[in-house]
Amino acid sequence: MANKKYWQSFGELNRSEANKKLSENEFQEDLPFVAEDGRDLGADGTSRRDFLKYLGFSTAAAMAASCETPVNKMIPYLNKPADMVPGISDYYATTYLSGGEAVSIVAKVRDGRPIKIEGNTISTLTKGGTSARVQASVLDLYDSARIRFPMANRHAISYDDLDKRLTAEMSAPVVLLTSTITSPSTLEIIKNFLAKDPANRHVQFDAISYSGMLLANQESYGRKEIPSYQLENAKVIVSLGADFLGTWLNFIELQRGYTAGRKIKQDNPEMSKHFQFESMLSMTGANADERYTHRPSEAGVVATALLGAINGSGAAGVDGKLKAGIEKAAKELAVNKGRAIVVSGSNNKDVQVIVNAINEAIGANGTTVNWSAPLLSYQGIDGDMTALVADMEAGRVGSLLIHGVNPVYEFFDGERFKKALAKVKTTVSFNDRLDETTELCKYVLPAPHFLESWGDAEIKRGYYSMLQPTIYPLFQTRPLQDSLLKWTGATGNYETYFRNFWLTKLGNLDLFNKALQEGVVEPAFASAPATYNGATIAASSAAVAGLKKNSKYEVIIYQKVSIGDGKQGNNPWLQEMPDPITKATWDNYAIVSPQFGKEVLGVDLNDQGQADDYEVFMTKPVIKIKVSGKEVTIPALIIPGTQANTIAIAVGYGRNSGKKEESNQNLGRAIAGVGQNAYPLLSFNGATVNWTAADATVEYLKNEEYKVGQTQTHSTYEGRHEVVKEFTLNEIRQNPQIVREQRNVELSAYGGIEKFEEEGTLYPVYDRPGIKWGMSIDLNSCFGCGACVVACTAENNVPVVGKSEVLRFHEMHWLRIDRYYSAANHNVDDADSIQVIFQPMLCQHCDNAPCENVCPVAATSHSSEGMNMMTYNRCIGTRYCGNNCPFKVRRFNWADYTGADSFPDNQLKEGVGKLDEAVFAMNDDLTRMVLNPDVTVRSRGVIEKCSFCVQRTQEGKLKAKRENRALTDADIKTACQQACAADSIVFGNANNPDSEISRIRRDNSLRVFHSLEQLHVLPNVSYLAKVRNTDAISAHSGEEEHHAPGSAATEATPEHH
Amino acid sequence: MSLLRYESQVRPALVDGDKSYHQITEDIVRPIEANPSRLWWIGFIISVLFLGFGIFSIYREVTYGVGQWNLNKTIGWGWDITNFVWWVGIGHAGTLISAILLLFRQGWRTGVNRAAEAMTIFAVMCAGQFPIWHMGRVWMAFFVMPYPNTRGPVWVNFNSPLLWDVFAISTYFTVSLLFWYCGLLPDFATVRDRAKLKWRKYMYGLLAFGWTGSTKHWQRHESLSLVLAGLSTPLVLSVHTIVSFDFATSVVPGWHTTIFPPYFVAGAIFSGFAMVQTLLLVTRKVLKLEDYITIEHIEVMNKVIVLTGSIVGIAYLTELFISWYGQNKYEGWAFFQNRANIFSPYGWSYWLMMGCNVLSPQIFWFRKLRRNILVTFFMSVIVNIGMWFERFVIIVTSVYRDYLPSSWSTYYSPTIYEVGFYMGTFGLFFTCFFLFAKFFPVIAIAEIKHILKRSGENYKEKMDVVEKQETEVFYHEQHSEHH
């Protein structure tokens, strides 16, 4: 068979000479160069015309052929690692570490490098939830500011030399200064290391300390620990200034618990009730059902008043709305005894003692406050640190070993620490960068990133989370444990130590492997109370009463959701993540009240003209704030919901090397020059650090101005209930159809909800068989934390544009969280009536997409699965789609943000459209290792937008196909969905009746709505209306019977406010 | 002189002075044969400098990205498309004058049609720059052409108004150019025949396409002119209609308006005539053509301006009325908050537009002001400023605050390169216009000769005799003249 031969002619069959010649001739027929008159052109030479034609063609062809596009080479493995398939991702369970904070995660590793962090769903604490900082941490691994080799006096040195010199030099007493260490194996190593001399000690210092709680709990319960707060058991949650959804303690776990009370069942709508008493508008406060504001110095008085109201002795020391609020909260707490909880964000021991008393009174101990598994992430006591500084000053510290902390920057009296540090003979820093403290240390040992490390973390007592390296160390790093083992004289390194430690603990290798694979070792959860001792309440109440001040301005220092204590400050993703409340990026600022705006800054937000002017210009006024001799000059943002006398400033900014010009190199290019340092405004009260200060003086610097890059400048939804819908729990209960009725009115011109798809268009309606991707976002459980925003950025290679481009409204986020305020009767001065709603906004993947029909080159089109798709290499950048998108989710590449352009050297450092250092930092070879190879890096001049993580849907579909089974929900999760600790986002095939998305839409059919539904763009993203467990919706005030059918049409007149 | 050519004495003369056919040729060809004046050089050099800065601005934009402009995630189009629509609008008067007025046998068009057509062509050239260079990847601009390709079924999107623009404007440009050139043929031949310099004879010989002035040539010329006039007439109406579709077919409140096509066309003629006024007032002065571009021409065009300005005004009021009557809250917001509210960030631009386009042209109800050259010149500039703001108002004040308040934009003002690009198109326009004024007969010599015996001042005087004649005498004389 194989030799069977076909032939066209006998000549070919016989391989005749003539045939051979013929077959060698490529052009067997004469080329058709025939002149018009039929003469062969060859006969009398080529005519002039033809000559010019051929000349022109060949010149053009030669030119075209010599054009070259840059060639990037791909080199295959010479020896392929056995367990690695190029293009296939591996997942390793490990743990996110930042200070004492530990979160169980799974790292997605592609071709030997981690590119994405996911939550570990096996962890019973976070159940797969993550935060923005966790999501962004993978970028820290590739930070080009990381130290690459060990140093002595800022000069490179080998580890051998360093070990020799240090063992000789290290003199007792040795003090190891670290952040809280939760790793049991490390603690053991530290113990052995310090055992050499009884004077040696270990000091734990937390930049954000919870000393007040620890000390109070010791007083009340005899345990210097922080219990587990089980918000899932609480029907009533009262927070006294604790931002427990954004920054407080183990907030991801608290988010999980809180969410449980915010998911509403349609048949029997019930939800927890959340009271927030605070001074500034925190993200948690923004989610509260009822919110009351007070002066920062009143925090203790509010606690005692609440205790009094619960005990029946009345809310003393407060008046007006605040008093009413406290009494209301007390009533709710009393009714829900055993199903209620009070938490406080204060770092004052006395305040926390009172809070303990309240929790005792409402039966929280053992129900919502669980002492069986205390949280171990924060063990630092502020007094220990001040004692250490005193010792250093007195020369009582021989050697100081610093790990994981940056006291020169983070300590409230950094200057004092700096001077004290100079008195210590041997200073050693284990750190990943030359931060403010490390640059002053004699010896510097580069620390590995947690993604490069072995390790463990005991997040809560008995709850372990394991670390395993996901990449070969990028630099000459050595973990702290290796060094300590070596200096102790032990053999072997930490890897073997860790292994033996856990083999001993777990008993056998299989269990150890399982622990590594799953990433967590956890006991069954149990609830247990602690013995309460209320002896000191009277003293505490008395102490607290004295705290209240009546000064004109008071300052409160807080943490931003994105930056926290500032450890991850050099992370462009976090810096560019808009703050949930202020929507500002790349800066900190003083948050001031509308009253302050009117009185000091001359801006009245209640006046529409002035409000317009304030919002359309990014330039903000600058004020100088003085607190007990320390001052900070900072721009001011007017944020409704801020208590009239309160000024709030975030820590984590204002990083500077000793020599300012070294900041870029030492601290990182994204962090240098960003914001002002607020840590110096903290003070020490003898036991704990104060995060508030009264008696602040403020000076408005009229001649200075500063631009703050906000991604959203208009903050109310102007009564546009088609955009976002919110109702009170009572409204929903009384009329379960309320959302549908409102929708029906909006769509009444097109036959109401049922007929809308058909009647709303001139065109025929088509079937949509097969897969139809859909997303549901529950506005009730979304609390705006931004984890999804960063997850999306990481997954989809969304470019970082830097502050100067954010200022020009050029940020590129595919997914953003819109934040709207509403105030009762449109009076923004009424801080207590300010309500906030968050709406995650991404491409709505409209079935009747307005962007698609306007593109002249069909670069954006619809898939048969209901996705709106972008073809980047077809896009010519007319931006028409962006204009025509009602949701404004399309993003244009205004400049070459990614370096993916074919134009060389076109990233401007000067002039119009200059790019910040952070953009360049994202483009170097090291940082680009974080890019997801499944997603195209877009070049300048094209539009991009949310793709519903099309790379993930394709991967999931292929997987199901390969396994020859139907697609299930488990195959595909979008990045935003996966990151969300509140499970607000659900994605899947809406045509499959068994899918989660179908179930959610079916079970909540009365609450489903589409944003701007009346436009008939037919979005594939649906929202579930927000429900507030409160008396009235501020946004509805001033509207008559807004929900009554027939009334939406009357709202249509433009409103003037 | 035939009876058919008789024109009433009531109509004012269209050619002033005691002109003979030869004198006309002398007057119009003189600037071509003489050395350019100092004024011409100054104007030309300034134009070229503007053009140069425009080219530099585009270079910046193409190399470093559209981020060189201050557009943003909410405002995708700003000065670029504003200028595009403005220039296209200006490019309307020329063809209207040459085509529609030709079909309506309006004799007065002959004095101004050549320059007006030139203006049209240059304005469309300027307009075309904006949709091209505003693209993020202009090197891929050829994607908008429906050409057979090897990319499989990749084709242009015929649903997109931007694609309709591509066809509408390229067709309009081609037809206008042909029409203009067709009219130029006999005049080029005139210049050629008078030329004493060898290069001039050669160049104009080439340009004249071998025109000999034979009856056959004239006959073909006339028919072609009519055909092209017939073709361009619908184009005058369609081009701006299609440009208006860029907005009217969108979902953006303030853009999505069915009134746009007629309103845009009226606005285009309005601004086009204003631009013709601006240019001709300067040209007649500099080239001393007051006898051919008379105060009558100016007055007639001012009448068109007050008419179209009022149409535009009615359109504005209709928009406001409909946005109130329609009770669509988003549209209501766009019109009453973004625009009509003078205290809103862009309120000033709306009222500037209203003042320039609707109120100020009303002064042309007064004959005295219609015939005042200074007032006309001033008004023509005001109208074009107003019309620029009309486009700015439509484009920017609609998108900057549309559906989602979360995306409402910060204040948009152009960068130096955005302004530079606009200035560059002025450079292009005036560079072309100066070259045109130097090398081309700015008035259609052949056509003006057509009307000389009917509408020339000296011939009109001779008509006095005829007016008084008895019919029989007149009839007799007419016939004897020919024998």
Side-chain angles (χ1 to χ4, degrees), chain A residues 329-646:
Chain A
K331 215 161 136 193
E332 290 281 349
L333 287 170
V335 171
N336 289 286
K337 206 166 181 182
R339 287 177 303 163
I341 188 169
V342 179
V343 292
S344 163
S346 173
N347 193 32
N348 185 303
K349 186 206 76 181
D350 295 317
V351 177
Q352 294 289 355
V353 164
I354 297 164
V355 170
N356 284 344
I358 299 174
N359 275 330
E360 208 53 42
I362 59 173
N365 186 5
T367 55
T368 51
V369 176
N370 181 7
W371 284 94
S372 75
L375 179 73
L376 301 180
S377 296
Y378 300 95
Q379 298 174 27
I381 298 292
D382 295 335
D384 293 359
M385 184 62 184
T386 43
L388 171 66
V389 176
D391 282 352
M392 284 159 68
E393 279 169 337
R396 291 195 293 267
V397 175
S399 313
L400 185 66
L401 277 52
I402 302 172
H403 173 261
V405 289
N406 181 10
V408 172
Y409 169 71
E410 295 165 340
F411 187 51
F412 74 92
D413 203 347
E415 278 303 309
R416 185 170 158 215
F417 184 89
K418 197 168 167 180
K419 285 189 195 118
L421 189 67
K423 297 203 173 143
V424 180
K425 202 177 108 228
T426 313
T427 50
V428 184
S429 180
F430 306 85
N431 201 346
D432 68 338
R433 71 194 61 231
L434 280 169
D435 62 20
E436 292 87 338
T437 310
T438 304
E439 69 177 358
L440 301 172
C441 292
K442 194 168 173 188
Y443 298 100
V444 177
L445 285 89
H449 189 263
F450 67 81
L451 287 168
E452 299 168 316
S453 314
W454 289 101
D456 44 19
E458 191 175 4
I459 301 170
K460 291 187 165 181
R461 181 148 309 135
Y463 290 77
Y464 298 98
S465 184
M466 313 298 270
L467 275 78
Q468 60 180 319
T470 57
I471 186 172
Y472 192 81
L474 291 167
F475 307 121
Q476 291 178 42
T477 50
R478 191 169 82 175
L480 166 79
Q481 297 92 333
D482 274 11
S483 300
L484 295 186
L485 282 169
K486 195 151 226 162
W487 300 339
T488 317
T491 51
N493 59 9
Y494 180 55
E495 186 183 339
T496 48
Y497 189 95
F498 164 81
R499 195 182 162 82
N500 291 332
F501 179 91
W502 278 98
L503 281 174
T504 322
K505 205 171 165 85
L506 294 168
N508 65 49
L509 187 62
D510 286 346
L511 285 176
F512 175 65
N513 283 340
K514 183 168 173 279
L516 280 183
Q517 263 175 31
E518 296 187 343
V520 290
V521 178
E522 294 178 345
F525 209 84
S527 273
T531 334
Y532 178 68
N533 167 13
T536 56
I537 296 177
S540 288
S541 298
V544 153
L547 292 176
K548 184 176 174 180
K549 297 271 165 38
N550 278 316
S551 55
K552 182 73 183 144
Y553 299 115
E554 299 188 12
V555 173
I556 181 163
I557 310 295
Y558 73 104
Q559 295 178 74
K560 262 174 83 166
V561 170
S562 54
I563 299 296
D565 60 6
K567 286 199 172 63
Q568 278 176 269
N570 190 43
N571 191 312
W573 290 347
L574 290 177
Q575 289 284 2
E576 198 150 304
M577 183 192 117
D579 183 78
I581 300 296
T582 63
K583 291 290 148 197
T585 61
W586 292 101
D587 254 310
N588 67 342
Y589 32 75
I591 290 178
V592 297
S593 61
Q595 288 91 335
F596 184 97
K598 199 163 19 181
E599 287 160 21
V600 181
L601 309 175
V603 180
D604 183 2
L605 288 190
N606 280 322
D607 176 285
Q608 201 195 340
Q610 289 188 34
D612 270 343
D613 276 351
Y614 179 76
E615 75 176 53
V616 296
F617 296 104
M618 294 278 197
T619 309
K620 299 295 172 226
V622 177
I623 55 175
K624 190 195 264 180
I625 301 163
K626 253 189 209 168
V627 179
S628 53
K630 294 179 183 155
E631 61 176 46
V632 59
T633 304
I634 199 163
L637 285 185
I638 305 172
I639 301 295
T642 310
Q643 195 271 336
N645 308 80
T646 303

Side-chain angles (χ1 to χ4, degrees), chain A residues 612 615-616 711 720 808 810-811 818 854-856 875-880 884 888 894 912 940 1052 1056, chain B residues 62 67-71 73 76-77 134 136-137 157 160 246 251 327 329-330 337 401-403 406 411:
Chain A
D612 270 343
E615 75 176 53
V616 296
T711 58
R720 296 180 172 184
R808 304 176 71 208
H810 284 177
E811 95 280 353
D818 290 345
V854 297
C855 176
C875 178
I876 53 175
T878 66
R879 304 184 292 287
Y880 198 174
N884 213 25
K888 290 283 173 283
W894 300 99
V912 177
R940 173 175 64 100
H1056 303 259
Chain B
V62 172
Q68 292 297 297
W69 301 347
N70 265 345
L71 301 172
K73 64 183 181 189
W77 292 343
H134 96 297
R137 300 201 305 158
N157 180 5
S160 170
D246 285 348
V251 297
Q327 288 290 294
K329 73 171 94 165
Y330 301 96
Q337 286 296 321
R401 286 182 166 181
D402 65 352
Y403 289 106
S406 69
Y411 200 75

